Amino acid sequence: MASRTQRAPAGSQLAALTLGAIGVVYGDIGTSPLYALKEVFTHGHIPVTAENILGILSMMFWTLTIIVSLKYVSLILRADNNGEGGLVAMLALASMAVKDRPVLRRRLLVVGIFGTAIFFGDGVITPAISVLSAVEGLEVAAPGLEPFVVPITLVVLTALFAVQKRGTASVGKLFGPITAVWFIVLAVLGLAHVVRNPAVLSALLPHHALLFIFEHPGLAFVSLGAIVLCVTGAEALYADMGHFGKRPIRVAWFSLVMPALVLNYFGQGAMLLVHPENVNNPFYEMAPTWALYPLIGLATCATVIASQALISAAFSVTKQVIQLGYLPRLRITHTSVREAGQIYVPFVNWTLYGCIVIAVVLFGSSSALASAYGIAVTIDMLITTVMTFFVIRYAWNYPWAVCVAATGFFFVVDMMFFAANAVKVLDGGWFPLVIGAIMFTLMTTWKQGRQLLGERLRDESVELKSFLDSVFLSPPTRVPGTAVFLNAEKGTTPNALLHNLKHNKVLHDTNLFVTVRHHEVPWIGFDKRVEVEPLGHDCWQVVLHFGFKNDPDVPEALRLLRGRGVQLDDMETSYFLSREIVIPTFGSGMMPWREKLFSGMHRNAAAAADFLHLPANRVVELGSKIEI
């Protein structure tokens, strides 16, 4: 796979990127020790015995090794889409790999979009469970403060979402150092107890896990539903590859993150071997009394950073999904003049916040939320594995047997974790599934509605070249300046042009008929941004190409035409847009309720002028009614 980063980072650059990856990529998985081991034993299904503790620790270690080290770090990171990662990039890569198999491609798109929808469910659970689990340390430090855990959690989360509009550029530099300190503290806490009881290190051997599975298959299956919590956030390794690159992510994992996690889990286990009564909150019970309040403060900072990384990812994924045509335009604000990827989406921000508040109040504790957490994580893990198969088989052209062997093993492991979490649907797993189902319905309704709208516009459209030829048989008055007509379909006459001629009876000296196309690749460079075709009479057909991570800036792209015979003066250029008012009708198409839903989404979509970065004082919008 081609990458935008041609030279692997080294030296100080590698160190800086590695530190950044620690703060952004590993924030979520780094806060898992707050609740993962606790959830295995806290419900009382698994007795807190020495054999069970060693068996569970062994399963956790090999889960980290198999899912993170082997699957994500060794295999999935290789599947980059022009240097970018994440489920949207993987979906685009897989769908392009099978583009000559339309039925299979449509099915993969449905699966991938469902996985993206489930991501938003994960985006609600992660901040809720992370911050709750950190603040719950107060129950250990001062049991009388237990009633204040939920209110304090809500205050922290409210402050976090309130500052999103300011961007993270100023505080983002602290993410890496704070999270690095967090991992060092994790390692030190765990090491102190491992040194006191080094026998716990025998759990590194897989036979403890195998003995536990063979002797207690039912308990082992139940435990998988909690053990998977130790790899929550593994998807971030792949999703943030474009920001940091493969090597820094790998260096961070093997040099600091994995050793710290393993030491901390084993430290918790070493303590439980001696003090099984501490099973209600083994993480905080590891700390000396004097360190509890500083540890709670540091843990809260770490969980806020983990939540921030996921919120930023939600903004980024939303923008990508919009440009792929699965969600209507939303108002997007850039929070940094230097980093194009730092954006703020108000609707997503406050919708996430509202759902998170509901989750915190409804579930009330990290233990209750844990049941809701695993199902979303395992679904996305499964979908990533499935997509990887099609990438390595049809994009990389590896032999069938190699592809099955490479992904089949991970598929079986993912399926076991999914099955263990599926039994918890009624205990809370329904929550992210409901959010995912709502998002999936919105995304598929918008996509299908746009297709129906496009078909209707094409049926009613007039071919542009022949229309212009007829117009210039008796040409209208030409006025100075350039008119840019935005048009969804290349080669058709924009409604805005028809209305302009009908009502104003003039035509500009220069006319550009511009179609914006978004592609299933992350980035398209300026050298491939513009296609231009002369139509005669100082009229041009222009197609602008953008990747799903490009910023669709139309004026900037049109400036590339200045060396191609097209005269453009920003102050003399007007932009004409056609705005369709969708009228749902009975008959063919979607179900009536979906047509009404699409009509509402279309009506409330953000202005195309803002999305395409058109100058507000030079936009003319002309509307028409369209029945679907």
Side-chain angles (χ1 to χ4, degrees):
M1 295 294 104
S3 172
R4 290 187 303 131
T5 304
Q6 299 298 323
R7 182 179 299 175
S12 60
Q13 183 188 14
L14 176 61
L17 288 172
T18 301
L19 185 62
I22 289 171
V24 176
V25 177
Y26 294 109
D28 190 2
I29 198 171
T31 55
S32 297
L34 287 165
Y35 49 80
L37 187 61
K38 175 181 72 172
E39 291 307 316
V40 176
F41 295 105
T42 193
H43 298 290
H45 300 302
I46 301 174
V48 189
T49 65
E51 293 77 12
N52 290 348
I53 291 171
L54 293 176
I56 293 297
L57 287 177
S58 186
M59 290 177 70
M60 295 181 85
F61 171 75
W62 288 102
T63 296
L64 286 168
T65 301
I66 292 171
I67 291 182
V68 183
S69 297
L70 295 181
K71 176 184 171 181
Y72 281 97
V73 175
S74 300
L75 176 62
I76 303 295
L77 283 184
R78 296 185 61 213
D80 67 293
N81 190 339
N82 292 311
E84 295 294 328
L87 194 53
V88 174
M90 176 72 83
L91 169 61
L93 203 59
S95 65
M96 287 189 295
V98 297
K99 60 184 178 182
D100 55 341
R101 296 171 170 83
V103 174
L104 177 59
R105 184 176 184 272
R106 283 196 299 270
R107 290 173 179 172
L108 280 180
L109 284 170
V110 170
V111 171
I113 289 302
F114 179 72
T116 304
I118 286 293
F119 163 81
F120 288 97
D122 187 21
V124 171
I125 302 296
T126 295
I129 192 174
S130 298
V131 178
L132 256 178
S133 61
V135 179
E136 282 172 350
L138 292 174
E139 298 174 1
V140 177
L145 295 176
E146 181 179 351
F148 298 96
V149 168
V150 169
I152 292 173
T153 299
L154 292 177
V155 168
V156 172
L157 288 169
T158 301
L160 173 63
F161 280 89
V163 301
Q164 292 303 310
K165 62 183 178 181
R166 301 181 184 275
T168 60
S170 57
V171 296
K173 297 175 183 178
L174 301 175
F175 286 2
I178 291 175
T179 310
V181 170
W182 169 251
F183 280 114
I184 293 171
V185 170
L186 288 182
V188 171
L189 282 175
L191 184 61
H193 289 272
V194 170
V195 168
R196 295 174 195 168
N197 195 353
V200 74
L201 293 175
S202 65
L204 292 171
L205 301 174
H207 79 272
H208 282 290
L210 296 174
L211 280 175
F212 181 72
I213 293 170
F214 290 136
E215 292 179 3
H216 311 286
L219 292 179
F221 178 75
V222 171
S223 70
L224 290 177
I227 288 173
V228 73
L229 297 176
C230 76
V231 293
T232 55
E235 284 281 343
L237 275 76
Y238 181 49
D240 289 308
M241 177 170 58
H243 294 120
F244 302 101
K246 303 171 189 177
R247 190 178 179 192
I249 291 174
R250 287 170 172 157
V251 170
W253 173 251
F254 288 113
S255 66
L256 177 61
V257 178
M258 184 176 182
L261 292 175
V262 171
L263 276 173
N264 194 268
Y265 285 125
F266 275 61
Q268 292 183 44
M271 181 194 64
L272 291 178
L273 288 173
V274 181
H275 299 287
E277 68 276 8
N278 290 340
V279 71
N280 288 331
N281 204 325
F283 176 81
Y284 282 112
E285 294 288 358
M286 279 198 304
T289 305
W290 62 265
L292 270 177
Y293 286 108
L295 184 59
I296 293 169
L298 180 60
T300 303
C301 289
T303 55
V304 165
I305 289 172
S307 302
Q308 175 61 64
L310 195 139
I311 294 167
S312 299
F315 294 159
S316 178
V317 168
T318 299
K319 179 186 174 185
Q320 295 170 26
V321 170
I322 289 172
Q323 294 185 199
L324 286 176
Y326 284 94
L327 281 178
R329 295 181 302 270
L330 297 174
R331 186 164 68 87
I332 297 174
T333 304
H334 289 264
T335 59
S336 173
V337 295
R338 295 182 178 180
E339 298 293 334
Q342 290 191 12
I343 59 175
Y344 169 64
V345 187
F347 180 80
V348 173
N349 185 70
W350 294 114
T351 302
L352 268 182
Y353 171 74
C355 292
I356 289 169
V357 169
I358 292 172
V360 171
V361 174
L362 182 65
F363 290 92
S365 70
S366 60
S367 291
L369 274 167
S371 297
Y373 202 12
I375 190 73
V377 172
T378 51
I379 287 174
D380 276 348
M381 285 166 50
L382 261 174
I383 291 174
T384 298
T385 301
V386 171
M387 294 290 176
T388 302
F389 169 81
F390 289 99
V391 171
I392 64 176
R393 176 71 183 99
Y394 296 106
W396 298 355
N397 296 316
Y398 280 19
W400 179 270
V402 173
C403 297
V404 171
T407 59
F409 171 70
F410 297 121
F411 182 83
V412 171
V413 173
D414 292 340
M415 183 59 74
M416 290 171 60
F417 281 110
F418 171 73
N421 280 277
V423 301
K424 301 190 297 182
V425 168
L426 296 179
D427 292 330
W430 58 269
F431 188 75
L433 291 180
V434 167
I435 295 173
I438 292 172
M439 288 301 304
F440 183 72
T441 301
L442 293 174
M443 292 164 75
T444 53
T445 298
W446 180 257
K447 184 69 172 180
Q448 188 174 353
R450 289 294 299 172
Q451 290 173 345
L452 291 173
L453 181 60
E455 291 171 3
R456 190 60 186 264
L457 288 173
R458 282 192 295 272
D459 291 341
E460 297 178 356
S461 66
V462 179
E463 200 268 327
L464 179 60
K465 186 70 168 63
S466 59
F467 176 78
L468 290 176
D469 289 341
S470 65
V471 166
F472 286 108
L473 290 175
S474 179
T477 302
R478 305 295 288 266
V479 296
T482 299
V484 176
F485 293 93
L486 276 297
N487 198 18
E489 293 290 331
K490 176 186 176 183
T492 62
T493 305
N495 284 332
L497 173 63
L498 298 175
H499 286 296
N500 188 50
L501 288 171
K502 178 180 178 181
H503 296 290
N504 298 324
K505 298 179 176 57
V506 298
L507 200 63
H508 285 70
D509 285 338
T510 303
N511 297 275
L512 305 180
F513 301 95
V514 177
T515 299
V516 176
R517 288 184 178 170
H518 297 283
H519 297 269
E520 295 177 353
V521 294
W523 305 96
I524 291 180
F526 286 112
D527 57 326
K528 298 179 180 178
R529 180 62 46 84
V530 180
E531 288 182 25
V532 59
E533 174 188 348
L535 300 174
H537 308 284
D538 290 317
C539 298
W540 282 268
Q541 173 73 65
V542 180
V543 180
L544 305 180
H545 300 277
F546 297 94
F548 59 76
K549 297 201 75 172
N550 283 127
D551 214 17
D553 191 325
V554 169
E556 179 187 54
L558 291 179
R559 292 188 190 106
L560 300 173
L561 293 172
R562 286 175 175 167
R564 305 191 188 188
V566 181
Q567 300 300 318
L568 280 176
D569 183 343
D570 290 343
M571 300 305 297
E572 295 293 327
T573 300
S574 299
Y575 296 86
F576 291 82
L577 284 80
S578 304
R579 184 172 181 85
E580 299 84 14
I581 301 171
V582 177
I583 308 297
T585 59
F586 292 101
S588 59
M590 297 185 290
M591 296 177 66
W593 68 268
R594 291 188 72 191
E595 289 194 358
K596 291 180 180 178
L597 175 61
F598 172 74
S599 176
M601 294 170 71
H602 191 275
R603 183 171 57 254
N604 290 289
D610 294 336
F611 185 75
L612 299 174
H613 293 79
L614 305 183
N617 60 342
R618 308 205 66 82
V619 172
V620 179
E621 197 165 22
L622 301 168
S624 60
K625 292 183 178 181
I626 303 292
E627 294 183 352
I628 60 169

